[in-house]
Amino acid sequence: MSSRSSSADRRFARETGAGREIADLAEPVLEERGFRLVRVKVSGRDGGTVQVMAERPKGQMTIEDCAEISRKLSPLLDSLDPLPGGYRLEVSTPGIDRPLVRPSDFASFTGHEAKIELKELVDGRKRFRGRIEGVAEDEALLRIELPGSEEPQVIGIPFSLISEAKLVADQAGFRADLAASKAH
């Protein structure tokens, strides 16, 4: 069964312009090889850069995985010619402040802090930051501090309204993980 058929795995984040064309081309190539597309970002940096962020649904990606993806995508992207005058292809994995692009990402990172930016104002705001509480139907559940409320409240944010979402890097947790790895 393709990950496209599962609504928990379907990306709600969608690129625009050249990024969208590249994502539409890259996603089936990645899926065919057992990877998932996280994001495509096209920029004018360094004379033109196409960044393809990918992951394995379960497990760690290796440098060899990134190289394999690059070898498979390069000829396809060359035929599309996404940036006039050339470009540099970068294949990477999500970092500690990883983008959240699928409902399953919110389910997987329940308990972690996230920043969410909306496509439009909701109750006078577009940006929310709080603890992920999971997923309900077509919404991400986020525990946030609301002005005038003594206790944090859990709100539902429809995936259809999310422009961008990402984990907030947990510096304390990151330091604890580093300290534990040095102790071994």
Side-chain angles (χ1 to χ4, degrees), residues 10 19 33 55 92 99 101 107 121 124 144 155 164 167 170 183-184:
R10 192 171 305 117
R33 285 159 181 76
E55 66 184 354
S92 66
V101 299
L121 288 174
I144 64 169
I155 62 168
E164 185 177 340
L167 290 179
D170 177 8
H184 295 320

Side-chain angles (χ1 to χ4, degrees), residues 45-67:
R45 189 183 83 208
D46 299 330
T49 301
V50 173
Q51 181 194 55
V52 175
M53 188 179 290
E55 66 184 354
R56 285 199 178 275
K58 292 177 173 62
Q60 297 283 17
M61 292 252 312
T62 64
I63 292 171
E64 291 80 19
D65 291 334
C66 291

Side-chain angles (χ1 to χ4, degrees), residues 12 28 34 119 121-122 157:
F12 59 80
K119 297 173 186 174
L121 288 174
V122 171
I157 301 174

Side-chain angles (χ1 to χ4, degrees), residues 22-184:
I22 294 166
D24 289 346
L25 182 67
E27 197 160 23
V29 172
L30 292 170
E31 286 180 357
E32 207 172 83
R33 285 159 181 76
F35 302 105
R36 294 191 318 176
L37 179 65
V38 175
R39 176 182 73 194
V40 171
K41 191 173 187 179
V42 178
S43 72
R45 189 183 83 208
D46 299 330
T49 301
V50 173
Q51 181 194 55
V52 175
M53 188 179 290
E55 66 184 354
R56 285 199 178 275
K58 292 177 173 62
Q60 297 283 17
M61 292 252 312
T62 64
I63 292 171
E64 291 80 19
D65 291 334
C66 291
E68 175 190 347
I69 291 168
S70 182
R71 283 190 301 274
K72 296 298 181 187
L73 288 181
S74 286
L76 293 171
L77 295 181
D78 287 346
S79 69
L80 178 65
D81 196 18
L83 294 175
Y87 65 93
R88 189 178 71 185
L89 175 62
E90 290 180 359
V91 177
S92 66
T93 61
I96 59 175
D97 59 346
R98 70 162 286 137
L100 303 168
V101 299
R102 293 176 171 79
S104 62
D105 292 342
F106 284 88
S108 295
F109 290 100
T110 296
H112 289 80
E113 192 169 0
K115 287 183 185 178
I116 298 175
E117 185 162 337
L118 304 181
K119 297 173 186 174
E120 58 192 52
L121 288 174
V122 171
D123 293 332
R125 61 192 280 191
K126 284 181 84 170
R127 293 182 181 92
F128 295 85
R129 180 177 176 150
R131 281 275 159 231
I132 300 171
E133 294 291 319
V135 175
E137 309 235 348
D138 293 330
E139 296 182 330
L141 301 177
L142 200 65
R143 181 175 299 278
I144 64 169
E145 302 282 338
L146 288 173
S149 182
E150 291 181 28
E151 295 292 319
Q153 302 293 311
V154 175
I155 62 168
I157 301 174
F159 293 113
S160 62
L161 292 181
I162 297 175
S163 167
E164 185 177 340
K166 67 179 184 173
L167 290 179
V168 174
D170 177 8
Q171 298 296 330
F174 186 66
R175 285 188 191 106
D177 288 345
L178 279 176
S181 68
K182 288 181 181 178
H184 295 320

